[in-house]
Every structure is written in C-alpha cells, then in structure tokens.
Amino acid sequence: MPRITIMEAGLVSPELRERHGSYPQMFERMIRAVDESIDFDVVEIAAGEPVPDATGLEAILITGSSAGVHERLVWIPPLEVLVRAAYVRKVPMVGVCFGHQLIAQALGGIVRKSENGWGIGRHVYQVASGNGLIESRHLAVACSHQDQVVEAPQEARTILLSDFTPHAGLLYANGRTLSVQPHPEFDAEYATALCEAREGTVPDVVVAAAKESLAKPLDSATLGGVIARFLTGGTAL
C-alpha cells in the first residue's frame, strides 16, 4: 500500500481548524474511511516547508488553498516542478481545488478568475461517460472557489463538468494523475461555515442559495472513494 504525501498548500483558520481539523486531517479522514491502514506524510509548504523531490514519493495529494496559482509565492514554482516530475515518473497524484488548478497550470493548462464569480455551496457535476473511474452520471459535491481551469492541458480529459465549471475534473493521459475542483473532503458543516465567511464579499443571494443547497445530500463519499482508490491502487487506464 503506497504512502500518501499530502502537500498542504493552504491553512484552515484557527477557529475552524479547532472544530474541523486541517486540510490534511480532512483528507486523512476521507481516505481512511476507505482503508484505515493507509499512512500519510504531510509537507506544510504553505507554512514554509520545502517542496520535496519526486524521487521516492509513492503517492501525492495537493490540497486546496486560499492562494491562487497565479500568485508569486516562492513555493509555487517548485511545486510545479514536482508535478511535472511526478507526472513523468507516473507517481499517483491527485489535486483538489487549488491542487486541481496547480496541476493543470504546471502541465500546460490555463487558470484564471472565472466570469461566473464565486462557486460556493453544493454544486452538481455531470460525469463523462466511459471515464473508467466514476460510474455515477452526476455527483453533488461542496465547492469553494473563484479561480478555475478555463483551458485544460492537452494531456487531460475532462471527466467532471457543469455550466459553472466546465473543467471540474481532469483525468490525465499518463493514467496516474487526477484532479477535481470541488472538495469531497468537506462535510456540509464546514462548507456552510465557508459560505458564512463569504458574507459581505459575495452577493447575499449567492450565499443564501449556497447555504440552502447544503441541506441536500452530498456525494462526497463517492468521490472520496474514487480518490482513495486512485492514489492507493495506482489506477491506470
């Protein structure tokens, strides 16, 4: 069973971290719901830890972040180098939200702020048929983002999409790289707290609709299971 190295690209606020944990802790809970035996290493790149070399890494998961991939942060270029090296080496790799965008940018895609504005709350995504990973036709998952992939890399196939987010899930040609814009690691309570944190910066009607949407069921466990199996089983297509 491969050891998963989590690249912590963003920090949960102290008040929310106390109740919900860090991003790595959220992912560990999500993945261990599938297999309790999985081990993790965490690299706190947003807190200044150096980005490791791809050599010796068995599986990589890049978290979300309040940062944008276009920002001039010192750790973003080394993280892109890691992504490209891991891609060539076919190390199982998954990116979520910021991680989704970072992988796309590193491999030739285009990321920018969307004209659609903030995506928050429960969004429903269409699943591309014949993708080899997800059997459902639709997935409802929490999201929280303004940036998004607007042009996918040539190496990527779009497997999750919506009118709001046309490239919400990308599966790459090496068969070892998967990324998604929504957050399967978020539960409804944490996603609601993020909606409330946007009050005053996002139109009230958008926040109200997002909070209301989170009363409906989420397919987080389904997508979380896909990610867990992808990282630990080395799914190849």
Side-chain angles (χ1 to χ4, degrees), residues 33-210:
V34 177
D35 189 335
E36 294 182 354
S37 69
I38 297 170
D39 291 322
F40 299 89
D41 292 317
V42 177
V43 182
E44 299 176 352
I45 53 176
E49 286 193 38
V51 176
D53 187 271
T55 305
L57 296 185
E58 299 176 355
I60 299 167
L61 192 156
I62 305 172
T63 74
S65 176
S66 61
V69 298
H70 45 76
E71 295 182 33
R72 295 188 176 183
L73 299 173
V74 295
W75 50 267
I76 287 182
L79 187 56
E80 291 184 320
V81 170
L82 171 65
V83 165
R84 289 190 284 268
Y87 188 81
V88 171
R89 291 174 175 270
K90 295 188 176 181
V91 178
M93 179 166 54
V94 168
V96 173
C97 197
F98 172 91
H100 165 71
Q101 297 165 14
L102 187 284
I103 291 173
Q105 179 171 280
L107 297 178
I110 297 175
V111 179
R112 63 168 179 257
K113 280 187 170 55
S114 170
E115 297 174 352
N116 293 328
W118 274 98
I120 54 177
R122 173 187 184 268
H123 281 210
V124 179
Y125 303 91
Q126 178 183 340
V127 180
S129 62
N131 64 81
L133 295 176
I134 307 170
E135 295 180 355
S136 306
R137 296 181 61 186
H138 297 87
L139 289 177
V141 188
C143 69
S144 182
H145 66 102
Q146 189 174 17
D147 294 353
Q148 58 175 275
V149 177
V150 296
E151 184 176 320
Q154 290 186 351
E155 288 277 299
R157 176 191 175 191
T158 298
I159 64 169
L160 289 182
L161 61 153
S162 69
D163 290 340
F164 189 91
T165 313
H167 300 291
L170 298 174
L171 179 62
Y172 285 79
N174 75 344
R176 295 293 196 273
T177 306
L178 170 69
S179 67
V180 297
Q181 182 61 62
H183 288 275
E185 78 279 17
F186 289 0
D187 60 22
E189 183 181 356
Y190 183 74
T192 299
L194 291 184
C195 292
E196 293 170 347
R198 299 296 174 201
E199 292 174 349
T201 59
V202 175
D204 291 346
V205 64
V206 175
V207 173

Side-chain angles (χ1 to χ4, degrees), residues 5 59 82 85 212:
T5 299
L82 171 65
E212 183 178 356

